[in-house]
Amino acid sequence: LGGLLSFSAATAAASAEVVDLTLEESIRLALDNNRTIKMAESDVEAAVWARHEARRNGGLTLSWKGSATTLGGRSVADARLAEPLTGIKYDRTFYNHLTLQFPLYTGGQLENSIEAAEYGLDAADLTLEATRQTIRARATSAYYKILQCRNMIQVNQEAVDTLEAHLRNVEAQYRVGMVAKSDVLRSQVELANQQQALVNAQNSYDIAVASFNNLVGLPTDTIVNASDELTYTKYDLQLSECTWYALEHRPDGIAADRAMKAAEAQMRATKAGYRPKIMAQAERVFSGDKAFGTNHAGSDTMSVGVVASWNIFDNNITEAQVEQRKEEVYRAEQRFWALQEQIQLDVQTAYLNLLAAEKNIQT
């Protein structure tokens, strides 16, 4: 069984792909393959079509309504006939109604719906950019994690080698009576602990590589050779400057602002229910015994004009809808300010971690 397992492990290792990657190549892979980005791109496409829908609502529309019926029963014959009542007679009648409409005034519903769709598209674009930045940061962190774990394997291996040499020295001193047995046991325990740390470091490295592969879209068993090395660059930054820049440029913060404005536009569009609507309209109605034709027994009429409608009393349905939109605006405002506070916290946390890491380099 042990031989079979060893053979299987060797076969799997031999079949695993080996890839040499730099940091820039890793970021490019992540941006090309990450599924979270693809979902955000789909949200942008949906927002584009939502804006298209809002704009199309302000154009011409042509509708058709028709019916086909069969009439049966007794009919009254011409009075000149000897038998005024005839037998059962069946007739067919076709009806067509064509309507061409163009909105002239919608009480602000059309304009505000378009504005809300525009803000929605902006928010989707900004969310996509925020997702890309997040994936870029995660790919960078995952790449550096591989480098860090690889270095920790080297550090722990050097410690194991040092403790093995130390144990051999202590055992030699014990054999000539220079140290006690407890010194030997202590050295053995230190070596065992360090060997365990080496095993954990190797396991952390394997997990870091698998997580990196999952993030950039590679098979999880791919062997990654990270060709870059960890380096230190001094960042001469002030917390106030970093916070200001983040508040001005982070796309998730700007997206929250656009979402808030979209909610406000939706509320204004809903308020159009209080106002009348005016449509330019042309109609043609014709009927007969042919599907799309007329005869002497049918009709054919046309009309062109302006149609106005006003829902004067709707049992306060519009009021209820407006109140709902107001609450949505309030929630959007709270999300915006909560994100502003979170951005400030994120910047301060990252800045303090950066300072601590810089101090620990010398240590």
Side-chain angles (χ1 to χ4, degrees):
L1 179 60
L4 289 175
L5 290 175
S6 300
F7 176 77
S8 300
T11 304
S15 62
E17 184 181 2
V18 180
V19 179
D20 297 326
L21 290 175
T22 64
L23 176 59
E24 292 301 322
E25 292 170 343
S26 302
I27 293 174
R28 186 167 60 251
L29 273 176
L31 295 177
D32 291 340
N33 300 325
N34 188 267
R35 299 192 182 278
T36 305
I37 293 178
K38 295 183 184 297
M39 289 188 289
E41 290 172 344
S42 178
D43 291 338
V44 172
E45 287 299 316
V48 169
W49 285 107
R51 181 184 63 177
H52 185 74
E53 176 189 0
R55 289 178 173 178
R56 294 302 96 190
N57 285 331
L60 282 171
T61 60
L62 176 64
S63 62
W64 168 79
K65 182 173 66 174
S67 64
T69 58
T70 297
L71 305 178
R74 293 184 178 273
S75 62
V76 179
D78 193 288
R80 294 169 298 176
L81 297 178
E83 297 180 359
L85 295 179
T86 64
I88 298 176
K89 181 180 180 181
Y90 294 94
D91 294 322
R92 291 177 299 176
T93 301
F94 297 91
Y95 170 83
N96 296 277
H97 186 176
L98 293 173
T99 304
L100 184 67
Q101 288 186 329
F102 181 81
L104 300 177
Y105 175 73
T106 62
Q109 181 182 19
L110 178 63
E111 298 84 349
N112 287 289
S113 295
I114 295 175
E115 184 179 359
E118 294 283 357
Y119 282 129
L121 178 57
D122 288 345
D125 282 329
L126 291 163
T127 301
L128 173 60
E129 179 58 29
T131 303
R132 286 173 174 165
Q133 291 185 7
T134 300
I135 297 302
R136 186 182 295 113
R138 289 177 57 191
T140 303
S141 178
Y143 187 87
Y144 284 145
K145 183 67 175 180
I146 293 177
L147 298 179
Q148 183 185 30
C149 291
R150 187 177 65 186
N151 290 347
M152 290 306 299
I153 291 176
Q154 181 180 356
V155 169
N156 283 279
Q157 184 62 60
E158 292 174 354
V160 167
D161 295 340
T162 299
L163 288 174
E164 286 177 345
H166 177 68
L167 177 60
R168 290 193 296 269
N169 183 42
V170 172
E171 288 176 337
Q173 294 182 36
Y174 173 73
R175 285 194 295 270
V176 298
M178 295 181 62
V179 297
K181 179 65 175 178
S182 59
D183 293 330
V184 177
L185 295 175
R186 184 182 303 108
S187 297
Q188 291 174 340
V189 170
E190 291 176 352
L191 175 60
N193 289 337
Q194 195 58 54
Q195 288 172 335
Q196 185 179 17
L198 177 59
V199 172
N200 291 336
Q202 181 63 54
N203 182 65
S204 297
Y205 175 80
D206 294 338
I207 293 176
V209 171
S211 300
F212 172 84
N213 290 335
N214 177 262
L215 181 63
V216 301
L218 293 174
T220 54
D221 61 346
T222 303
I223 300 174
V224 177
N225 290 329
S227 55
D228 291 354
E229 295 291 339
L230 288 173
T231 57
Y232 167 62
T233 302
K234 175 66 177 178
Y235 291 95
D236 188 16
L237 302 172
Q238 300 297 322
L239 177 59
S240 58
E241 296 174 356
C242 296
T243 302
W244 172 83
Y245 192 89
L247 291 174
E248 290 291 325
H249 295 90
R250 265 185 53 166
D252 52 346
I254 305 175
D257 173 73
R258 298 298 186 272
M260 180 175 61
K261 292 180 179 178
E264 293 172 348
Q266 287 286 6
M267 181 182 67
R268 292 193 296 269
T270 303
K271 288 183 177 180
Y274 293 128
R275 307 181 186 96
K277 294 179 175 58
I278 302 175
M279 308 283 289
Q281 179 172 292
E283 284 186 317
R284 182 187 177 190
V285 180
F286 58 96
S287 62
D289 59 358
K290 296 181 180 179
F292 294 98
T294 60
N295 61 4
H296 64 279
S299 63
D300 191 348
T301 61
M302 292 187 63
S303 62
V304 178
V306 176
V307 177
S309 62
W310 192 355
N311 198 359
I312 298 176
F313 178 72
D314 61 358
N315 203 25
N316 293 331
I317 293 177
T318 299
E319 181 182 2
Q321 293 173 342
V322 170
E323 291 300 322
Q324 292 179 56
R325 299 295 181 268
K326 287 182 179 179
E327 294 302 321
E328 291 175 1
V329 170
Y330 178 78
R331 286 197 299 270
E333 290 174 346
Q334 296 307 308
R335 282 195 295 268
F336 170 76
W337 290 114
L339 188 54
Q340 295 290 297
E341 296 168 354
Q342 184 63 46
I343 289 174
Q344 297 179 55
L345 177 60
D346 291 344
V347 173
Q348 185 172 9
T349 301
Y351 187 82
L352 294 177
N353 288 336
L354 177 64
L355 294 181
E358 287 179 336
K359 294 177 182 177
N360 288 333
I361 290 175
Q362 184 61 38
T363 305

